[in-house]
Amino acid sequence: MSTAVLGQIARDLVLLTEAVPGPGGTVDVHRRLELLGGKGANIAVTLAQLGARPALVGVVGDDETGARLVQRCVEDGIDVRGVRRRRGTESALMVDVVTDDGQHRYLEHVPSATLLTGDDLDPLGGLVEECDSAVLQLQQPAAAVRCALGMLRARGALVVLDGVLEDESHREPVVAGADVVRMDAREAELWAGRRIRDPEDAARVAADVLRLGPGLVVLAVGDQGDVVVTPQDRLLLPQVDTPVVDTTGAGDAFVGTLTWALTSGRDPVEAARRGCAAAALTVGRPGGRPALSPGAVEELAATITPSPLG
């Protein structure tokens, strides 16, 4: 069986430089990378590197960039039957400027036509019959997400949500239909509508999310780690102390690895430990593209010790 991933597909341009210039200034770029990117594609690449069979559902333009992105997906072992090439639009572009101090700035050009619509989900019907799990990346419009969710629930697939919907009126109904919810620190505060002070506070927010229906909620808490809440557990998985070059893509690696581990039979806490390990292995590289293997993930996950929360 395979995992469907609904989400963004983009060209990633990563620029490594000493510093960001001020108005009228110039700095040299000492390294440039051009990659397959976007959260949906990054999650699918993560799954493929770990030995899963991901199918990507998303939109690229009918430009040369779109053709290259689809070809790269194929080379990465990703099923592209669900990728729509939208006539008359440009493919999305992400520019990631990384300075020597480890800070990054993002510039994004995401044409509205590169977002999913209900019509784009036609191929999902066939893919769902082959999938036992799916990741819904919530940067997509609420209507498309809810349409996909309905199809997946009817199939009985494991549904993992990544992020939070921009449209507040759809947030709770979508979460109620999911099995797993993962939010980064910014998304968790957007959901809560307030600042989250510490892991204990995050655990309370996660417990509120859990009451809507999911069986597992994972919230990132700044540089302290990830809070994992299930009906049985409230735990903090500490952030792994590894060299950080660029945090881009860490959350995508977490979500892809979490899904892989759950579908491989790991319990929720063990799956989240592997997600933390994958994120730590990704931040040591520039850009959002991971470079993972099951062995490396398992080895690092074994060093992560959960701490109980009240």
Side-chain angles (χ1 to χ4, degrees):
M1 301 297 283
S2 63
T3 299
V5 181
L6 279 75
Q8 198 173 70
I9 309 167
R11 173 192 174 208
D12 257 5
L13 175 59
V14 185
L15 304 176
L16 284 79
T17 184
E18 180 179 352
V20 176
T26 302
V27 297
D28 289 333
V29 171
H30 50 72
R31 189 179 178 194
R32 182 179 89 184
L33 301 171
E34 297 191 40
L35 309 167
L36 167 67
K39 284 182 170 292
N42 289 341
I43 293 169
V45 168
T46 296
L47 286 159
Q49 290 179 349
L50 295 174
R53 294 190 296 126
L56 185 56
V57 180
V59 180
V60 298
D62 64 350
D63 51 4
E64 183 179 347
T65 296
R68 291 201 304 269
L69 293 174
V70 172
Q71 179 58 36
R72 184 61 217 239
C73 286
V74 172
E75 293 169 0
D76 281 324
I78 298 168
D79 184 337
V80 296
R81 286 177 291 166
V83 177
R84 174 70 62 87
R85 294 196 64 192
R86 184 91 74 212
R87 184 173 298 176
T89 192
E90 296 176 289
S91 297
L93 170 67
M94 309 289 180
V95 180
D96 178 16
V97 181
V98 184
T99 51
D100 289 346
D101 59 3
Q103 300 297 310
H104 58 249
R105 284 89 170 166
Y106 297 133
L107 301 172
E108 299 184 356
H109 178 234
V110 183
S112 59
T114 62
L115 300 176
L116 285 163
T117 68
D119 291 342
D120 297 322
L121 299 181
D122 289 344
L124 184 60
L127 293 175
V128 164
E129 294 304 313
E130 304 169 20
C131 292
D132 56 356
S133 60
V135 179
L136 305 185
Q137 212 298 310
L138 299 184
Q139 288 181 327
Q140 299 298 313
V145 170
R146 295 194 69 168
C147 177
L149 183 61
M151 298 168 71
L152 293 161
R153 297 313 302 178
R155 169 72 173 92
L158 175 81
V159 176
V160 179
L161 300 184
D162 175 33
V164 61
L165 283 172
E166 183 176 333
D167 188 335
E168 291 184 48
S169 66
H170 291 279
R171 288 178 186 169
E172 290 195 3
V174 167
V175 165
D179 300 290
V180 180
V181 175
R182 203 273 173 168
M183 302 179 195
D184 66 23
R186 182 194 65 81
E187 292 160 346
E189 292 188 343
L190 185 61
W191 171 276
R194 61 176 175 81
R195 181 174 175 270
I196 294 176
R197 298 181 299 275
D198 51 39
E200 288 77 13
D201 192 14
R204 288 189 288 271
V205 173
D208 289 339
V209 177
L210 195 78
R211 280 190 279 271
L212 293 172
L216 169 63
V217 178
V218 185
L219 305 184
V221 190
D223 59 2
Q224 297 181 72
D226 287 89
V227 165
V228 179
V229 175
T230 73
Q232 294 78 35
D233 299 295
R234 290 191 182 195
L235 303 169
L236 174 67
L237 296 177
Q239 189 172 78
V240 181
D241 185 16
T242 54
V244 177
V245 174
D246 183 4
T247 58
T248 304
D252 305 332
F254 187 110
V255 171
T257 303
L258 175 72
T259 306
W260 164 74
L262 288 170
T263 56
S264 300
R266 300 289 184 180
D267 70 49
V269 175
E270 289 300 309
R273 286 175 63 198
R274 283 151 182 80
C276 290
L281 291 167
T282 300
V283 299
R285 300 165 53 86
R289 181 182 174 85
L292 301 172
S293 69
V297 169
E298 296 289 349
E299 182 179 359
L300 188 55
T303 69
I304 301 172
T305 304
S307 301
L309 296 169

